[in-house]
Amino acid sequence: MATVTVRDETATGRAIDQWPLTGLPGRISARELVRLRVREEVARFNAGQADVFRGLVRPTDAEATLNGYRVGRGRRLDWERQADAACAAFARNGFVLLVGDRQVEDLNEEIDLFGDPEVAFVRLVPLVGG
């Protein structure tokens, strides 16, 4: 089993957050890696019952804040819905997935987690007016 360090970064490469994701198979598709990451972040949010979700994609009916998305105290998120939204966001260039020193272009791409234990998610912000 593999452990990877998941890191959220700004477009300039500044780390925003990072945590270990453990118990992963040595080879995994990018899609499954995204889904497992989202499952973990939703589980942490639901366990803590905070009102701000600091996840990869914005939950439905959530308000964007400086450091996440305000979802309301006591609301539980559905990890599968969030994972589907994350995969859709990847397809429309909502974020970039970097494994080691290379960019993953396709969610069906197989990743060797033993060879590349560093994974970065870089959220992209659309330009105003374009």
Side-chain angles (χ1 to χ4, degrees):
M1 300 305 267
T3 297
V4 298
T5 299
V6 174
R7 188 173 54 252
D8 286 339
E9 296 181 354
T10 65
T12 60
R14 183 178 59 87
I16 299 169
D17 193 11
Q18 77 177 40
W19 67 93
L21 193 55
T22 61
L24 302 177
R27 293 193 64 78
I28 191 170
S29 72
R31 178 182 320 281
E32 193 59 27
L33 180 60
V34 168
R35 292 182 67 79
L36 289 172
R37 175 247 158 91
V38 171
R39 184 180 74 183
E40 175 66 21
E41 71 189 11
V42 168
R44 289 187 306 172
F45 172 79
N46 286 341
Q49 287 301 297
D51 62 341
V52 175
F53 175 64
R54 291 175 175 79
L56 186 58
V57 294
R58 181 179 184 168
T60 304
D61 298 328
E63 173 189 344
T65 66
L66 181 61
N67 295 316
Y69 307 103
R70 185 171 316 285
V71 295
R73 187 164 300 282
R75 179 174 167 201
R76 296 184 56 81
L77 297 178
D78 178 341
W79 81 265
E80 289 177 314
R81 176 179 274 169
Q82 284 300 111
D84 291 344
C87 290
F90 179 89
R92 65 176 185 279
N93 297 317
F95 66 90
V96 172
L97 174 58
L98 304 172
V99 178
D101 60 355
R102 66 184 179 79
Q103 181 176 337
V104 173
E105 301 286 338
D106 186 328
L107 286 178
N108 294 320
E109 185 176 326
E110 288 287 315
I111 299 169
D112 176 6
L113 295 178
F114 290 126
D116 290 313
E118 299 282 325
V119 177
F121 292 82
V122 181
R123 275 181 250 166
L124 302 176
V125 179
L127 297 174
V128 175

